[in-house]
Amino acid sequence: EISQLTSKEVKNLIKYDSYLPSWKNSKRTDFYSIYMEKVENLSTLGYGIYSKHHIFSLTDNKISPILNPDNIRLSDLFGYNKERKAVVDNTLSFLSGKPAANVLLYGDSGTGKSSTVKAIANEFKEKGLRLIEISRDNLQAIPIVIDEISKNPLKFILFIDDISFQKNNKEFGVLKSLLEGSASSKSPNLLVYATSNRKHLIKENFSERDGDDIHINETIQETVSLSERFGLSVYFSRPNKEEYLMIVNRLAKQYKIDIKDQELNYEAERYALLRNGRSPRIARQFIENLKGKALN
C-alpha cells in the first residue's frame, strides 16, 4: 500500500520530480486490520467526536464535547455505598444490553448526586458509555439528541442536573414523553439520569389545590407523579455525625492532611456548623481548606 512507502518510493512510483517532504516508515502499518478492528469495536470505541470525548453538553441545539470535564472517579467518593451501587448496577445492566431504568437521584444538596453520575460516566467510558448534559430549561431540544444518537452503537446517558418544574411548565410534557417511552421519543441506547433536591419534581402551592378543577385529584396526581416515571429512584440523605466524620477522615488521608484525629473531627464539626450543615460537599470543602492552609 502507498501509505507504507517511504517518500522516495512514492516519488518513484508516481514519477514525481518536484519537492516532496521526506519521511521514513519505521514500521509497516496494516491500516486495513486497524480499520476492521475499530469497526468491530464501535460499540465501545465510538466514532467521530464520540471516539475522542465522552462528556458532552447540548449547546445551541448542538451536541458539543466538554473539553475539560470533571475527572472525578467512583473511588474519590466516600459513603453512600448502597445508593451508589444501585446506580452503578443499573448502568452496567444498560451497558451489557440488559433491561435498565431511567434514574432519579434525589435528596439533600451536597450529598454527591451529580458527582455520582459524572463519576459513572468517567468510570465506564471504556465500555462505550457517553454522557450528554442538558439543562432543565432546554428539554424541548431532547428530540434533537435522540435524532443524533438513536443509531449510534454507543450507550448514552442524558443527564439533567437539579431538575424541577413549575406547574404547567412547557418542558414537563417532553420529559414525561421520554420517560414513558413514546414512539417519537424512545431510543434503546439512551437513559435519563436526573438529580433533584426534591422527589416531587413539580413545585406547587397549597392554594393551587383549591379552585374550580372538577377532577382536582387527577390534576394533583399528574403533577406529583413525574418522579414515579423513573424506573429507579435513589434517595441521598444528609449524613449523620458519624458518617460525616468518616467522610472527613477518609478525605484527610486522600489529601495527606497531617493532623490529629481529635482535632480534625472537632474542626470538621465546627466548619459544618458555620455552614449549611453536614454533607460530603462540606466535608470536601473543609479538607481542601485545610490543605490550602498547609500549602501557604
Side-chain angles (χ1 to χ4, degrees):
E1 295 181 9
I2 193 169
S3 60
Q4 300 175 357
L5 303 178
T6 66
S7 58
K8 184 176 181 180
E9 290 171 330
V10 170
K11 291 179 71 171
N12 291 336
L13 178 66
I14 65 176
K15 304 185 186 313
Y16 182 73
D17 295 328
S18 299
Y19 171 75
L20 191 69
S22 178
W23 73 81
K24 290 183 179 180
N25 290 329
S26 59
K27 180 181 179 181
R28 299 289 171 142
T29 303
D30 186 352
F31 288 102
Y32 177 78
S33 295
I34 293 175
Y35 172 78
M36 291 307 298
E37 181 183 0
K38 288 185 177 296
V39 169
E40 291 172 1
N41 293 281
L42 277 180
S43 62
T44 55
L45 297 176
Y47 58 86
I49 60 172
Y50 302 107
S51 66
K52 298 179 180 179
H53 307 277
H54 70 288
I55 305 288
F56 303 84
S57 65
L58 190 67
T59 307
D60 297 327
N61 292 339
K62 181 180 179 182
I63 299 175
S64 303
I66 296 178
L67 302 180
N68 297 294
D70 187 346
N71 61 0
I72 192 166
R73 303 299 291 256
L74 290 171
S75 58
D76 296 324
L77 302 173
F78 303 124
Y80 302 93
N81 294 332
K82 180 180 178 182
E83 293 83 354
R84 208 161 277 127
K85 184 178 185 301
V87 187
V88 169
D89 288 348
N90 185 74
T91 306
L92 290 174
S93 292
F94 178 47
L95 291 172
S96 63
K98 299 177 182 177
N102 297 308
V103 182
L104 174 65
L105 301 84
Y106 73 98
D108 297 305
S109 61
T111 49
K113 302 182 296 295
S114 300
S115 295
T116 295
V117 177
K118 293 174 183 178
I120 285 173
N122 292 333
E123 203 75 30
F124 300 122
K125 61 182 179 181
E126 304 298 336
K127 292 182 178 292
L129 184 65
R130 301 294 183 265
L131 183 145
I132 302 173
E133 186 166 3
I134 182 171
S135 72
R136 59 184 175 181
D137 299 323
N138 198 28
L139 297 185
Q140 286 190 313
I142 284 176
I144 295 175
V145 175
I146 293 173
D147 287 344
E148 170 75 21
I149 60 93
S150 61
K151 296 182 180 180
N152 197 301
L154 296 167
K155 302 288 188 180
F156 291 84
I157 289 175
L158 185 64
F159 178 40
I160 312 169
D161 197 17
D162 192 22
I163 188 173
S164 64
F165 299 107
Q166 297 292 336
K167 188 178 179 182
N168 299 323
N169 187 288
K170 60 185 178 181
E171 272 80 24
F172 171 83
V174 179
L175 181 58
K176 177 175 175 286
S177 177
L178 178 61
L179 295 175
E180 291 180 340
S182 68
S184 61
S185 64
K186 190 174 182 179
S187 182
N189 64 337
L190 176 70
L191 286 181
V192 177
Y193 281 20
T195 68
S196 177
N197 292 339
R198 50 191 295 143
K199 184 174 183 180
H200 297 307
L201 303 179
I202 308 296
K203 295 179 180 179
E204 61 170 351
N205 301 318
F206 281 110
S207 60
E208 292 175 348
R209 299 203 173 198
D210 301 325
D212 57 0
D213 190 342
I214 297 175
H215 305 289
I216 186 63
N217 288 332
E218 293 181 10
T219 302
I220 291 172
Q221 287 302 313
E222 175 72 9
T223 60
V224 302
S225 66
L226 179 62
S227 60
E228 296 175 1
R229 291 182 169 87
F230 288 88
L232 175 63
S233 294
V234 184
Y235 177 50
F236 286 70
S237 62
R238 281 192 181 276
N240 58 33
K241 181 178 179 179
E242 181 181 352
E243 293 167 336
Y244 169 69
L245 292 179
M246 179 275 292
I247 295 171
V248 167
N249 279 268
R250 294 186 68 176
L251 285 170
K253 291 180 180 179
Q254 184 184 66
Y255 280 74
K256 299 180 180 179
I257 301 294
D258 185 16
I259 184 174
K260 293 181 179 180
D261 290 348
Q262 186 175 358
E263 182 182 356
L264 177 68
N265 293 343
Y266 173 79
E267 291 297 332
E269 271 289 278
R270 193 164 72 92
Y271 190 90
L273 289 172
L274 293 173
R275 282 152 181 85
N276 195 30
R278 305 182 188 103
S279 74
R281 180 186 298 160
I282 292 296
R284 188 173 293 276
Q285 289 173 354
F286 166 68
I287 292 298
E288 289 178 346
N289 184 52
L290 281 185
K291 187 67 173 180
K293 289 180 179 178
L295 294 175
N296 291 332

